[in-house]
Amino acid sequence: MCKIVNGKPRLPASQGCVERLNQDVEAMLRAWLIDNITKNWALGCYFVQFQKNSSFYRTIKRSPFKALFGSEPIIGFQSSHISKGLLEKLVIKEDLDLLLNQQDHGITSIPEDLPVISP
């Protein structure tokens, strides 16, 4: 058995807000697809969602992410399992590759040949 439930019609003003949001998301997704030279829009949705949820909104005076979780998202290597001491020793991409390869093989010491970054 199927029961049809009709929702309350939206006011024209709120419908306009939804349409503007949809256009904004569509434009952001289109830009992401062009920037990343891909047609994988489903993957791009994750990046657009993160962008929208971590952007500041004047109406709530914070990002939706902060409104929900109480802090801004931690991104980049700060959110990784790599210690701050090891991160400070990384200079070039190959240093990171070496470190990740060593961690994959259970080696947890800092490689002696990694130079220290000077401030």
Side-chain angles (χ1 to χ4, degrees), residues 28-113:
M28 291 173 73
L29 183 56
R30 186 179 299 112
W32 186 88
L33 292 170
I34 292 168
D35 289 348
N36 291 280
I37 312 168
T38 183
K39 293 182 181 181
N40 189 352
W41 62 267
L43 179 62
C45 286
Y46 290 110
F47 291 94
V48 171
Q49 176 186 15
F50 181 80
Q51 177 99 28
K52 292 295 286 181
N53 288 339
S54 58
S55 296
F56 183 84
Y57 284 74
R58 284 181 292 125
T59 53
I60 60 173
K61 296 181 176 47
R62 63 185 62 109
S63 70
F65 188 99
K66 186 170 185 175
L68 182 62
F69 297 109
S71 65
E72 294 299 340
I74 299 172
I75 57 174
F77 288 118
Q78 299 161 340
S79 64
S80 73
H81 63 282
I82 302 171
S83 72
K84 187 175 180 179
L86 288 175
L87 286 175
E88 289 173 353
K89 288 197 150 274
L90 303 178
V91 176
I92 58 175
K93 180 187 177 301
E94 286 74 19
D95 294 342
L96 176 61
D97 292 340
L98 175 65
L99 177 65
L100 293 175
N101 189 29
Q102 287 181 335
Q103 287 187 340
D104 286 345
H105 291 91
I107 302 169
T108 56
S109 62
I110 299 173
E112 293 298 322
D113 58 340

